[in-house]
Amino acid sequence: MPAPDGIAVPDKQMRMTRSRPPVAPAQRPVMLAIGGDSASGKTTLAQGLVEAMGEDRCTSICVDDYHRYDREERRDLPFTPVHPDCNYIDIMEQHLQMLATGQPILKPVYDHSTGSLIRPEYVQPRQFIIIEGLFSLFSKLSRACIDISVFLDPPEEIRREWKVRRDTSNRGYTPEQVVDELDRRESESAEFIRPQRRYADIVVRFAPVAGRDDPPDTPLSAEVLLRPTIEHPPLSHVLSADNRTAMHLKIIRDNDGTPVDCLHVHGHAAPEDIQLLEKTIWTGVADRREMPSGLGSLGPGRRSEPLAMTQLLLLYHLMQEVYQG
Amino acid sequence: MPAPDGIAVPDKQMRMTRSRPPVAPAQRPVMLAIGGDSASGKTTLAQGLVEAMGEDRCTSICVDDYHRYDREERRDLPFTPVHPDCNYIDIMEQHLQMLATGQPILKPVYDHSTGSLIRPEYVQPRQFIIIEGLFSLFSKLSRACIDISVFLDPPEEIRREWKVRRDTSNRGYTPEQVVDELDRRESESAEFIRPQRRYADIVVRFAPVAGRDDPPDTPLSAEVLLRPTIEHPPLSHVLSADNRTAMHLKIIRDNDGTPVDCLHVHGHAAPEDIQLLEKTIWTGVADRREMPSGLGSLGPGRRSEPLAMTQLLLLYHLMQEVYQG
């Protein structure tokens, strides 16, 4: 923890502390962070993981609650909520360090329905903690607290659709207001949010596949980039690079030229298509507990194999971390 | 900071951390804590110190804000606010550690006028931090964060008067409600608050002197116990044990039999009586800055030499700590 002698290099201090053999392993939670722009699907993905792991041992924390200003105060400010100055990044970092070392926090609460900051909430760490929010992967110190980092990277036009739909139905805005806000945020989003993609171990893009004539209610496909920054299950033993299969795995160059494994799961994949792979992945999980059910659910009666596979990969990493410590 | 390897002994860990030579000395604030029961004068004493030091380099934090429940929720509870279970002691300890190592906190806020928990407040440490509240000296870990600890110990009948006066004028209670509450709190007060007196470096009792016929508006006398747990100014070179003087110094046995220096400043002391001592004390302060003015003020036109002397002693310790590190 960054005591006086650690102020100069708090991230390094944190890493060192976390690298020491723990005295009480149960008190060191496994932390998975989900970054991505507003309405990219972070909360939905986080909720799915909490449900799969069970609320008794998994909790999720939204770090958008670390707003410095309420909606009223923000009106006159020259920046939007996607600017770090609009958030208590330092307090977020503190709290992530607390949770990472098994300590409770008194988390601020931003009420999205009224836009005001209200009574904070006492949060006790559980065995698994999902951190989600705009600044999850923003700083070196926040990343030092995280075991597995994920960035959600939907195509921009899809994200804008999602944001309009959500903010008009849950947050009391008109469609015009949401579109204006998206435009207002664009430059700050480019400067502060999208660069976090670079630091994720796993980048997930749900999108339709260009040039395919899938029926209109086909789930979105998933493109999952697996960076060699953490140890992934040995997918290359099971999957080929053959584009014509419902799932395939290719080595590609990412935007910045770095090599990365790219897993593609098509929206038209059938449960049978992915079952073998699911089993292969789950067999690698150290405690061989039963595979969580309900993965890939898009609501009553609707399923997405790309979503199920993405969730399973993340659950695999959560379980692995417990045993690798 | 209590990382995994420190969870077993967080207070020791904290002490060690604070004992290491600081990289950035300016970032290590001097912390003075004021404990004592409800309405014993903690806030008033804290405010006097902040005014004397100046708000630019001194801030005070009330740790009664770490209430776990609001007034409504407390109605059905089997304990009162002076029970530790009614407070987030763990979060208070965290925040004290943060401040002690020069880091900001997002402090909870309890609104005494409405009895509700509201939007928390961002607090940046200054060079001097006064911590005041019911649980300031409660735990080993909280005490490990403190440089100078003070306990206010007025006679119980005076404290009850003060509490009735304050809670009826500022907190919307009737006198009967306050007296009931005092009775309800009594056993918890004895169990959790009064024992903190034992851990204070300085115990202050403002009280009338028994058997003296001072005019009715004579300020209360001060009895100041100076424990050898910190280094006090060499008062015994200047003061005698002679009871007939306005100020005297005696070695006595405290309630529990431990030896302690007892400074008595009579309410009828005149400014001339204490000036020499004030100068002697202040000369010992390392930076020899001008002695703060306005000490001992009891409001417009009213002065108390016992209060002035008490404040000066605390200011002396604050200044000393800066230079002793």
Side-chain angles (χ1 to χ4, degrees):
Chain A
M1 190 64 204
D5 59 335
I7 284 172
V9 281
D11 56 303
K12 195 180 287 184
Q13 178 93 5
M14 187 65 200
R15 278 185 192 285
M16 290 185 306
T17 301
R18 280 164 49 79
S19 306
R20 289 179 208 137
V23 166
Q27 296 198 3
R28 171 174 141 14
V30 174
M31 289 173 71
L32 181 147
I34 306 175
D37 212 335
S38 185
S40 60
K42 301 184 293 294
T43 311
T44 309
L45 187 59
Q47 280 170 351
L49 294 176
V50 171
E51 271 165 42
M53 301 300 283
E55 285 191 14
D56 52 324
R57 55 178 194 155
C58 186
T59 191
S60 93
I61 308 272
C62 176
V63 290
D64 296 344
D65 280 315
Y66 292 80
H67 273 339
R68 191 182 282 265
Y69 308 102
D70 63 20
R71 197 175 290 164
E72 190 57 37
E73 291 161 346
R74 285 204 307 273
R75 274 192 231 286
D76 304 322
L77 294 176
F79 43 70
T80 80
V82 299
H83 195 293
D85 289 355
C86 208
N87 296 270
Y88 290 123
I89 300 290
D90 53 355
I91 303 292
M92 177 190 83
E93 289 171 342
Q94 263 180 17
H95 286 194
L96 291 179
Q97 293 171 77
M98 288 293 167
L99 293 171
T101 53
Q103 294 167 85
I105 58 168
L106 196 59
K107 192 186 71 63
V109 176
Y110 178 80
D111 182 343
H112 275 290
S113 64
T114 62
S116 50
L117 289 153
I118 57 174
R119 172 179 179 166
E121 180 184 31
Y122 184 77
V123 178
Q124 237 161 343
R126 311 231 173 114
Q127 194 179 5
F128 302 98
I129 303 176
I130 317 296
I131 303 296
E132 56 107 353
L134 292 165
F135 291 95
S136 307
L137 308 177
F138 179 67
S139 73
K140 209 166 175 174
L141 183 49
S142 70
R143 296 191 298 268
C145 302
I146 300 301
D147 298 286
I148 307 133
S149 54
V150 181
F151 190 87
L152 292 181
D153 185 32
E156 192 59 7
E157 65 277 13
I158 289 187
R159 183 180 78 83
R160 291 175 73 104
E161 265 180 51
W162 288 347
K163 186 161 170 70
V164 170
R165 204 183 309 156
R166 182 195 62 190
D167 289 2
T168 53
S169 55
N170 300 342
R171 302 188 179 178
Y173 291 98
T174 66
E176 294 70 31
Q177 283 175 320
V178 184
V179 171
D180 278 1
E181 181 66 13
L182 277 162
D183 293 342
R184 230 162 61 86
R185 291 182 177 199
E186 171 51 27
S187 68
E188 290 170 10
S189 206
E191 186 172 356
F192 303 113
I193 308 302
R194 278 176 253 164
Q196 295 177 50
R197 179 182 184 282
R198 172 71 191 82
Y199 300 107
D201 301 311
I202 300 174
V203 178
V204 181
R205 165 174 291 223
F206 289 107
V209 178
R212 274 194 60 98
D213 278 333
D214 290 320
D217 62 345
T218 305
L220 298 173
S221 299
E223 187 185 83
V224 185
L225 302 189
L226 304 165
R227 290 219 177 87
T229 43
I230 56 174
E231 198 179 333
H232 299 286
L235 300 177
S236 63
H237 299 190
V238 193
L239 291 173
S240 76
D242 184 351
N243 269 356
R244 290 161 306 177
T245 55
M247 280 187 293
H248 50 263
L249 185 74
K250 282 184 191 172
I251 296 177
I252 62 165
R253 283 197 188 281
D254 197 5
N255 315 338
D256 62 355
T258 54
V260 63
D261 233 339
C262 176
L263 170 69
H264 213 105
V265 185
H266 274 296
H268 62 73
E272 312 78 86
D273 289 330
I274 73 159
Q275 261 166 13
L276 175 67
L277 184 60
E278 280 185 344
K279 288 224 175 76
T280 309
I281 291 175
W282 203 248
T283 307
V285 167
D287 78 342
R288 304 278 178 95
R289 58 162 49 224
E290 213 180 317
M291 198 159 73
S293 61
L295 298 187
S297 168
L298 292 175
R302 288 201 68 217
R303 242 186 93 79
S304 153
E305 301 313 321
L307 177 59
M309 181 51 65
T310 303
Q311 290 173 329
L312 189 76
L313 268 169
L314 302 185
L315 294 173
Y316 167 88
H317 280 294
L318 285 171
M319 299 302 295
Q320 283 298 91
E321 273 300 321
V322 178
Y323 296 96
Q324 291 172 357
Chain B
M1 191 66 207
D5 58 338
I7 283 172
V9 281
D11 55 308
K12 194 179 288 182
Q13 177 94 3
M14 187 67 199
R15 279 185 192 285
M16 291 185 304
T17 301
R18 279 163 51 79
S19 305
R20 289 180 208 138
V23 166
Q27 297 198 359
R28 169 171 141 16
V30 175
M31 287 172 71
L32 182 147
I34 306 175
D37 211 337
S38 186
S40 59
K42 302 182 294 295
T43 312
T44 310
L45 187 59
Q47 279 169 353
L49 295 175
V50 171
E51 270 164 41
M53 302 300 284
E55 285 193 12
D56 51 325
R57 56 178 194 156
C58 186
T59 190
S60 94
I61 307 274
C62 176
V63 290
D64 296 344
D65 281 313
Y66 292 81
H67 273 341
R68 191 183 281 266
Y69 308 103
D70 63 21
R71 196 176 289 165
E72 189 57 38
E73 291 161 347
R74 284 204 307 273
R75 273 192 231 287
D76 303 322
L77 293 176
F79 44 69
T80 79
V82 298
H83 195 294
D85 289 354
C86 210
N87 296 270
Y88 290 122
I89 301 290
D90 53 354
I91 303 292
M92 178 191 82
E93 289 172 342
Q94 262 180 17
H95 286 192
L96 292 179
Q97 293 173 75
M98 288 294 168
L99 293 171
T101 53
Q103 293 165 85
I105 58 168
L106 196 60
K107 193 184 71 62
V109 176
Y110 179 80
D111 181 342
H112 275 290
S113 64
T114 61
S116 49
L117 289 152
I118 56 174
R119 172 178 178 166
E121 182 184 29
Y122 184 77
V123 178
Q124 237 161 343
R126 311 234 170 112
Q127 194 179 4
F128 302 98
I129 303 176
I130 317 297
I131 303 297
E132 57 107 351
L134 292 165
F135 290 96
S136 307
L137 308 177
F138 179 68
S139 72
K140 209 166 176 176
L141 183 49
S142 69
R143 297 192 297 270
C145 303
I146 300 301
D147 298 287
I148 307 134
S149 54
V150 181
F151 190 87
L152 291 182
D153 185 31
E156 192 59 7
E157 65 278 13
I158 290 187
R159 182 180 78 83
R160 290 175 74 102
E161 266 178 53
W162 287 347
K163 184 159 172 72
V164 170
R165 203 183 310 154
R166 183 196 61 191
D167 289 1
T168 54
S169 56
N170 300 342
R171 301 188 180 177
Y173 291 98
T174 67
E176 296 69 33
Q177 284 176 319
V178 184
V179 170
D180 278 1
E181 181 67 13
L182 276 161
D183 294 341
R184 232 161 59 85
R185 290 182 177 198
E186 171 51 28
S187 67
E188 289 169 10
S189 206
E191 186 172 355
F192 303 113
I193 309 302
R194 278 176 250 159
Q196 294 177 49
R197 179 184 183 281
R198 173 70 192 82
Y199 301 107
D201 301 311
I202 301 175
V203 178
V204 182
R205 166 173 292 222
F206 290 107
V209 177
R212 275 193 60 99
D213 278 334
D214 291 321
D217 62 344
T218 306
L220 298 173
S221 299
E223 185 185 84
V224 185
L225 302 189
L226 305 165
R227 292 221 176 86
T229 43
I230 57 174
E231 198 178 334
H232 299 285
L235 300 178
S236 63
H237 300 189
V238 194
L239 292 173
S240 77
D242 184 350
N243 270 356
R244 291 162 304 178
T245 55
M247 278 187 298
H248 50 263
L249 185 73
K250 282 185 191 172
I251 296 177
I252 61 164
R253 285 198 186 280
D254 197 5
N255 315 339
D256 62 354
T258 53
V260 64
D261 233 339
C262 177
L263 169 68
H264 214 105
V265 186
H266 274 296
H268 62 73
E272 314 76 87
D273 289 330
I274 74 161
Q275 261 166 14
L276 174 66
L277 185 59
E278 281 185 342
K279 287 223 177 79
T280 310
I281 291 175
W282 203 248
T283 307
V285 166
D287 78 343
R288 303 278 177 96
R289 57 162 50 223
E290 215 181 315
M291 198 160 73
S293 61
L295 298 187
S297 169
L298 291 174
R302 290 201 64 217
R303 240 186 93 79
S304 154
E305 301 313 322
L307 177 60
M309 182 50 65
T310 304
Q311 290 173 329
L312 189 76
L313 268 169
L314 302 185
L315 294 173
Y316 167 89
H317 280 294
L318 285 172
M319 299 302 294
Q320 283 299 89
E321 274 299 320
V322 178
Y323 296 97
Q324 291 172 357

